[in-house]
Amino acid sequence: MRRFIKKRSKKAGLPPGTLVHIGEQKAEEVSITVIDYDEARFQEEEIETVEECFPFKDKPTVTWINVDGIHQVEVLELLGDCFGLHPLVLEDILNTDQRPKMEDFSEYIFVVLKTLSYNDQSDELEPEQISLILGPSLVMSFQERAGDVFDPIRERIRNGKGRIRRMAADYLAYALLDSVVDDYFLVLEQVGEKVEFLEEELVTNPTPETLQTIHNLKREMLFLRKSVWPLREVIGALERGESSLIKESTGIYLRDVYDHTIQVIDTIETFRDMISGMLDIYLSSVSNRMNEVMKVLTIIATIFIPLTFIAGIYGMNFQYMPELVWRWGYFVVWLVMLVIGVLMLVYFRRRKWL
Amino acid sequence: MRRFIKKRSKKAGLPPGTLVHIGEQKAEEVSITVIDYDEARFQEEEIETVEECFPFKDKPTVTWINVDGIHQVEVLELLGDCFGLHPLVLEDILNTDQRPKMEDFSEYIFVVLKTLSYNDQSDELEPEQISLILGPSLVMSFQERAGDVFDPIRERIRNGKGRIRRMAADYLAYALLDSVVDDYFLVLEQVGEKVEFLEEELVTNPTPETLQTIHNLKREMLFLRKSVWPLREVIGALERGESSLIKESTGIYLRDVYDHTIQVIDTIETFRDMISGMLDIYLSSVSNRMNEVMKVLTIIATIFIPLTFIAGIYGMNFQYMPELVWRWGYFVVWLVMLVIGVLMLVYFRRRKWL
Amino acid sequence: MRRFIKKRSKKAGLPPGTLVHIGEQKAEEVSITVIDYDEARFQEEEIETVEECFPFKDKPTVTWINVDGIHQVEVLELLGDCFGLHPLVLEDILNTDQRPKMEDFSEYIFVVLKTLSYNDQSDELEPEQISLILGPSLVMSFQERAGDVFDPIRERIRNGKGRIRRMAADYLAYALLDSVVDDYFLVLEQVGEKVEFLEEELVTNPTPETLQTIHNLKREMLFLRKSVWPLREVIGALERGESSLIKESTGIYLRDVYDHTIQVIDTIETFRDMISGMLDIYLSSVSNRMNEVMKVLTIIATIFIPLTFIAGIYGMNFQYMPELVWRWGYFVVWLVMLVIGVLMLVYFRRRKWL
Amino acid sequence: MRRFIKKRSKKAGLPPGTLVHIGEQKAEEVSITVIDYDEARFQEEEIETVEECFPFKDKPTVTWINVDGIHQVEVLELLGDCFGLHPLVLEDILNTDQRPKMEDFSEYIFVVLKTLSYNDQSDELEPEQISLILGPSLVMSFQERAGDVFDPIRERIRNGKGRIRRMAADYLAYALLDSVVDDYFLVLEQVGEKVEFLEEELVTNPTPETLQTIHNLKREMLFLRKSVWPLREVIGALERGESSLIKESTGIYLRDVYDHTIQVIDTIETFRDMISGMLDIYLSSVSNRMNEVMKVLTIIATIFIPLTFIAGIYGMNFQYMPELVWRWGYFVVWLVMLVIGVLMLVYFRRRKWL
Amino acid sequence: MRRFIKKRSKKAGLPPGTLVHIGEQKAEEVSITVIDYDEARFQEEEIETVEECFPFKDKPTVTWINVDGIHQVEVLELLGDCFGLHPLVLEDILNTDQRPKMEDFSEYIFVVLKTLSYNDQSDELEPEQISLILGPSLVMSFQERAGDVFDPIRERIRNGKGRIRRMAADYLAYALLDSVVDDYFLVLEQVGEKVEFLEEELVTNPTPETLQTIHNLKREMLFLRKSVWPLREVIGALERGESSLIKESTGIYLRDVYDHTIQVIDTIETFRDMISGMLDIYLSSVSNRMNEVMKVLTIIATIFIPLTFIAGIYGMNFQYMPELVWRWGYFVVWLVMLVIGVLMLVYFRRRKWL
């Protein structure tokens, strides 16, 4: 629940552009890494003070400044001042309750993304907000905690694998976007396994807990959807290439990411349909079971109630009851009861209740 | 209920532009405050008669006229005359049953907004209509009652905090809009708490009252939605900046408010989905319970009905019933009953009813 | 039902433009009123023969010809000939089964509208078709029966109240449109009262009749919707002002009517949502009741079935039943029964069935 | 069922443009009628061989070639050759499984339509495909069987009634379209009667067959919808008048047909809503009935189970049961039972179960 | 399940354009066939090494390179190098988890398609991905396994049947698309048969398995839909003919395929509606059955419970029970019971329970 609404109250009434971190602090400490490269050179540094990354500002090489942990407002303020970011951008980076969006400030593009991952303890989906700034030869990325989403890209830059070292900052930004979208596929794989498991459970042994699990999955889909739909718009807007910061040659790669996003959405929608189908199956299997129970009750009751009535008749103490003194009365009653019982069973079978 | 339809009958047949106040009178008396400022100067006055605010009309400084309480038609008429407002605008301000909307009259922009807040007594959402007029160096705001939505902005202007004193009237209008939208976040936080509480109740102790609460929440969402969807259009239209009254530099701030509105809508939709999911959970938990009850009934009945029948048999008064005179007859019957009971229990367990 | 489909069979196969009145005859006789005015002069006449209104054709003053009752085909034919109306227009006026629509024939604009009102006897919504023709200085209106929808406007023209006498024919057409839309608010107020009443009934005393009423309301909403949605398009098209017959100054008034239409639609949609929510509440209150009934049955049956069984045991007539001769046997059995009963009650309470 | 999917397998793998008749043969024999007219002249011929209609090709008069029965591929091939129709057009005419569509081949316009009629025997909706070709002075129509849809038009041409003889080929095409759309009104009238009948049945005597009928109607609506929605696009495209084959003066008539189509769609949607409302009513009336049944069971059982238990108690054979020897014991028991019964009835009445 | 999400994990972190085959290997070995033709000449070769197809690159004749089996990455790499395909295209061909799409690389058009077929063993729908490359005089097609979808086209080229030999590469591409779409009709015929079978089963003998089958069909429709909706966009984009690779004369054929796709979608939607209607029928038939069962139980219980109570009364052992010693007591009791039973039956019949 919490995750849908973060306490914004602490910001209420403050002028726009006031920097307040909204959300939980997820990283112990803020750590800043700078990677600077072109086809020939490569430099990677973990820096201590924000000021150390100022010299990279005017270098012609591609500079990637990655900030893990965003709860220290001062760090952001310094970065914002140095690289000329709009106060509203800084505010949005700090407010981890953002919807994925893209804003083009002509000198730079600001992108907010969400990644989702299953928390190992609670088995719940946890969102993390990732903000990207793409300048002419600069990419800045802000994560809530040190994550491994961008590790393969770091590796690729270090090794000079693929075409990343030959390309400009926009390609790096694309690569970051791509790894975020690829991350969704991993989450969907996990969801897929859950769905598969649930489907089996539904057939073999449905319990009220199954229902709870179905509803949890349903909500997770809601959650995924809420993150991915705006992502599509974001990447679509980047791809349409209205910004001069994105070269045409990168457009084709963005189209590829765009296709992946569509596929993620498609899969989510399919899962949603499957899950709501599972709900239907669950409910009708429950009602089938109920019918079974009712049928057994009816058959037992319908057979024995009349028979018990007959037994009751001959348990009466009237002084004059001719049948009681008949020699074979008892056995005749048994016979009558048997016939009634058999007739009823035949009737039930004819009505297909047995 | 009432709140969806206000009595318009008293206006039926009157020519358009006739000023009639539609709605309940919420403020005791009409109070008018004028705030006049530029970067250097600041003046704040509570005025007695409408005429006192006429001199502010032609000042180059930014003038903010705030009217709390709109039930005195004469006040509005005078203001309208002085500041050249269209009769339909005055009519719309008085008719508190408006849908949020924006109208551009080239010399001024007219905006109708809704705020919602929980009434402390009835715990129901109560709407209030806020109308804004944005002129070249003038902002007029009309509230149904003296509220605290705009207090932080007044404070900011007084203290010269933020950039508000350096900016023109359009920035002030933006700030008012922003505080209205921020107000929705506060309402959503409250809704969020209700939803959270309800979810717990649903798991621990669902009662028919839970159902009622779910339906109330559902309706409140309907209500919120009805206010916020048109708000989005309003701010979207302002942001697209077709009016010369809104400077380009304010556009970026309006885009920010627009993003917030989208986020409010997003959250409302998510809540709606969650609430309808809760309804499903409630209904299936009720039907699960029902099944439990039915199963117990069936098991008890199915076991004891045949046994009672047997007891009935040997309660019959036939003169010749061989079993009755057997030495161990009574104990054999007990044994038979036990065997039948156990067999049935085994059967139920095999069918997973126990 | 009938009202959704009117017998068109009598027209099948006739060439287009053939004038046949489709619908029930609602007025006794056709009555034609002519109102002719400008700012200075005013003339109102009830005329006997159609020909009397021909002279008004070329007057520069605004002429409003109102026809109540449209079942006399000849009247329409004469009017059509004189004022140069297209045969299809006349056909549409006569066919009271039209969908609201607007058609621009450059010399005149043809508008079909629907009003709805509750029939006093049957308490059902009854539609009436109103057709308007707007020429350069002429408005013609056709109603199925003499109604009071337009009375306030007549009054306003007579008294010269408001700006109507100073304005041209397009303003008159606007005023007629406005009164038609205002009429919907009156219907919605009545619907609102019904909904309110129903909501109370739902809480205090839901009966199968409640369900019927909910469904009736639902259908009425369907009905309202069917009339109002196209109305919105009609007024939207007029407002966009593509016709030279509508002056720009009237545009702002049409925008106002348009806003009202949106509000009517909004309210209808809200009612629809509320009504379908009421249906849900009704159904789950019925199923809650059912559960109550089931629980009582189960508790009574589950407690007494085993006890009756025990009583049955000691009602058996075996010669050798040791308990029967015990001194305190009877009281021990009572005790055992009591203990079983109490244990069961405790069990039920633990399961929260009591 | 069959009607949704016709065997296309016989065409699989054949090159496009191969002429194969798909569908059932509905007419005994192919019959071709030629009507040729202008304002002055009129000629009507039933022709034997296709070649006979070749001379009409270059006549300046309007020629209407109507083909009833399309299963003879050779006939179509000859016509296609002579009048220069594209092989794909001929293929579409033969494939009676087409969706209504319009294709503009600049020299001619090709339109596929569907009519629906209730089969007298099976009371099921049966589709028939009608294809139209509109050339400069030529209309060709292809029907699956000799139908009476076009008879009134033939009559009108013969008699020179209406404006049809004065108009060109596009007006004839319009007239044919119009009669197809009018035909839908007749079907909807029949559906309307069914719906009315069903509604009454639902109130007076709902049976499981009622449910089946509701579902059949629902499917028929599906069916109608599938035919009419594309029809709307077809007529809309014709009306927008992008083809030089359609004169502007005909545009207004097409707009009229378009309005009718919208009205047909509207009515279908209303019926759909009504039918699904009827389903809801049916289901809740069934569940109401069920509740009634359950209540009676519960009341009977709840009253008599405890009483039977008491009777069982005094049917026990303990030697020492003090009550049994009391003088008024029997009557006291009766009294106790009566009191219990009455108390229960009071309880039930208080809970509103009676 | 599996089919919705294929393991992408093995690709995670690799740079874009890295060629990895995703999906199951469906063909034993990769086989490449080259067909080269113009109106006069025809040549068909199964080639051993990829290099053999390089000479066809610059021939003016139409060359169709068909690759069955795509799991050998090297084959694709060679082809890609020779024919100048973008690495992302090769990646997409290998990733069999693609959504149908069309990409225009100006020198060539890349199309991804899906075919579906029922697996003979599992009776489940199995997707296969087909990729097409259309160059100026070249068509390349990639299939996951050797299939028979394209066989009729091969046959047509060999025999020179139809116009295929006279046309250019774009017509060949159209022919391939057409056969893929036609393939859907075959699948839909099979689905249609299943639906028909199910409908009969639903009426004659609905079982819980029927429900399972309905849900399976529902999911298959989901599946079909997911493949066909994007197909429509693909063909729509091709038809709009923005690429110079597609001649205008081919446009009309593509429009035909487009119409077929619409028809496939239409049929799928109709099936979906029908299937969800069947679900409703199933559920209400189950609940009708349940009602039947309940009614029988109620009637039996309601009749016999009071009678058994009476029998219980006269089974009591009170010393003083006057009725017991009456001469006709026993018969009077029988009479009373009969009267009660008959009254109840009458009551039930009046309530229409019998």
Side-chain angles (χ1 to χ4, degrees), chain D residues 1-2 4-9 12-17 86-88 91-92 97-99 101 103-105 204-205 208 211-212 215 218-219 222 225-226 272 279 282-283 286-287 289-290 292-294 296-297 300-301 304-305 307-308 310-312 314-317 323-331 333-334 337, chain E residues 152-153 156 161-163 171 174 178 182 185-186 188-189 192-193 195-196 199 203 252-253 255-256 259-260 262-263 266-267 269-271 273-274 276-278 280-281 284-285 287-288 290-291 294-295 297-298 301-303 305-306 308-309 312-323 344 347-348 351-353:
Chain D
M1 244 324 294
R2 283 263 170 238
F4 282 114
I5 286 285
K6 289 186 182 146
K7 288 276 173 226
R8 278 176 167 256
S9 347
L14 294 179
H86 196 283
L88 286 176
E91 201 187 341
D92 285 348
D97 204 19
Q98 289 294 316
R99 204 172 171 264
K101 68 173 176 179
E103 281 180 16
D104 188 347
F105 289 78
T204 56
N205 186 24
L211 182 66
Q212 194 58 47
H215 275 294
K218 214 172 155 188
R219 174 169 305 179
L222 217 73
R225 216 180 161 214
K226 208 183 150 208
R272 273 168 60 98
L279 196 63
Y282 175 80
L283 291 177
V286 161
S287 105
R289 218 156 233 260
M290 176 82 168
E292 285 301 299
V293 171
M294 285 308 296
V296 168
L297 174 59
I300 295 285
F304 284 103
I305 284 177
L307 302 187
T308 307
I310 291 171
Y314 296 107
M316 292 194 297
N317 298 318
E323 298 96 324
L324 291 184
V325 293
W326 291 352
R327 181 66 184 91
W328 301 107
Y330 177 53
F331 302 101
V333 161
W334 262 120
M337 285 174 172
Chain E
I153 296 169
R156 262 195 270 155
K161 247 167 67 180
R163 61 183 68 69
Y171 188 87
Y174 145 72
D178 191 41
D182 274 359
F185 281 108
L186 298 181
L188 285 179
E189 269 182 36
E193 275 163 29
V195 169
E196 233 172 291
E199 288 214 307
V203 172
I252 193 168
Y253 291 98
R255 197 165 63 178
D256 197 58
D259 284 345
H260 291 177
I262 297 282
Q263 207 172 338
D266 240 48
T267 312
E269 295 307 318
T270 309
F271 279 151
D273 281 340
M274 286 172 75
S276 79
M278 282 159 71
D280 286 354
I281 293 179
S284 44
S285 91
S287 106
N288 263 329
M290 175 81 167
N291 278 16
M294 286 307 297
K295 263 198 266 174
L297 174 60
T298 305
T302 320
I303 289 176
I305 283 177
T308 306
F309 164 68
I313 287 289
Y314 295 106
M316 292 194 296
N317 298 318
F318 285 100
Q319 283 194 346
Y320 183 69
M321 287 174 71
E323 297 96 325
M344 285 197 155
Y347 175 76
F348 293 152
R351 301 210 91 170
K352 298 221 174 117
W353 293 356

Side-chain angles (χ1 to χ4, degrees), chain E residues 1 3 24 117-127 145 190 194 213 216 220 223:
Chain E
M1 240 329 290
R3 54 199 176 195
E24 305 146 48
S117 51
Y118 276 104
N119 182 306
D120 292 338
Q121 269 96 56
S122 66
D123 200 35
E124 285 188 352
L125 275 183
E126 268 188 6
R145 75 185 135 222
Q190 286 174 282
K194 284 189 174 197
T213 320
N216 284 352
E220 281 172 4
F223 209 43

Side-chain angles (χ1 to χ4, degrees), chain D residues 1-245:
Chain D
M1 244 324 294
R2 283 263 170 238
R3 54 198 176 196
F4 282 114
I5 286 285
K6 289 186 182 146
K7 288 276 173 226
R8 278 176 167 256
S9 347
K10 47 177 161 171
K11 273 202 70 173
L14 294 179
T18 313
L19 300 185
V20 176
H21 177 241
I22 291 181
E24 304 146 50
Q25 179 181 330
K26 290 183 183 162
E28 284 298 295
E29 239 172 291
V30 173
S31 93
I32 306 179
T33 336
V34 179
I35 293 181
D36 190 88
Y37 65 89
D38 61 9
E39 208 170 344
R41 275 160 305 171
F42 169 78
Q43 177 186 2
E44 183 172 5
E45 278 184 60
E46 179 127 354
I47 62 173
E48 300 292 308
T49 59
V50 182
E51 285 77 5
E52 292 175 47
C53 51
F54 292 177
F56 293 98
K57 197 183 165 185
D58 302 311
K59 281 199 180 173
T61 50
V62 179
T63 308
W64 173 17
I65 301 174
N66 183 59
V67 181
D68 289 338
I70 54 166
H71 51 280
Q72 284 182 24
V73 172
E74 324 77 61
V75 171
L76 256 93
E77 234 164 286
L78 277 168
L79 281 171
D81 276 359
C82 168
F83 293 97
L85 304 180
H86 196 283
L88 286 176
V89 166
L90 298 175
E91 201 187 341
D92 285 348
I93 293 173
L94 283 169
N95 180 351
T96 62
D97 204 19
Q98 289 294 316
R99 204 172 171 264
K101 68 173 176 179
M102 186 277 266
E103 281 180 16
D104 188 347
F105 289 78
S106 77
E107 302 102 86
Y108 56 92
I109 293 174
F110 172 52
V111 179
V112 179
L113 303 167
K114 291 272 174 190
T115 60
L116 286 169
S117 51
Y118 276 104
N119 182 307
D120 292 338
Q121 269 96 56
S122 66
D123 201 36
E124 285 187 353
L125 275 183
E126 267 188 6
E128 188 195 344
Q129 177 163 317
I130 293 180
S131 314
L132 298 181
I133 307 270
L134 167 62
S137 69
L138 173 87
V139 172
M140 287 166 80
S141 57
F142 300 86
Q143 291 179 267
E144 287 185 70
R145 76 186 134 221
D148 41 21
V149 172
F150 294 157
D151 281 351
I153 296 168
R154 255 176 229 119
E155 204 53 46
R156 261 196 270 155
I157 300 177
R158 283 189 204 115
N159 306 342
K161 247 168 66 180
R163 60 183 69 68
I164 199 160
R165 287 275 285 276
R166 295 193 303 274
M167 312 289 276
D170 57 340
Y171 187 86
L172 174 59
Y174 145 73
L176 299 178
L177 277 171
D178 191 42
S179 61
V180 165
V181 173
D182 274 0
D183 204 55
Y184 279 108
F185 282 108
L186 298 181
V187 174
L188 285 179
E189 269 182 36
Q190 287 174 282
V191 172
E193 276 163 29
K194 284 188 173 197
V195 170
E196 235 173 287
F197 179 78
L198 211 65
E199 287 213 309
E200 244 181 73
E201 203 182 75
L202 208 58
V203 171
T204 56
N205 186 24
T207 61
E209 282 73 42
T210 317
L211 182 66
Q212 194 58 47
T213 321
I214 293 175
H215 275 294
N216 285 352
L217 263 180
K218 214 172 155 188
R219 174 169 305 179
E220 281 173 3
M221 285 303 107
L222 217 73
F223 209 42
L224 269 164
R225 216 180 161 214
K226 208 183 150 208
S227 308
V228 183
W229 273 95
L231 185 62
R232 179 178 147 233
E233 292 161 37
V234 166
I235 297 176
L238 287 171
E239 185 227 321
R240 277 190 299 279
E242 284 138 10
S243 167
S244 63
L245 287 166

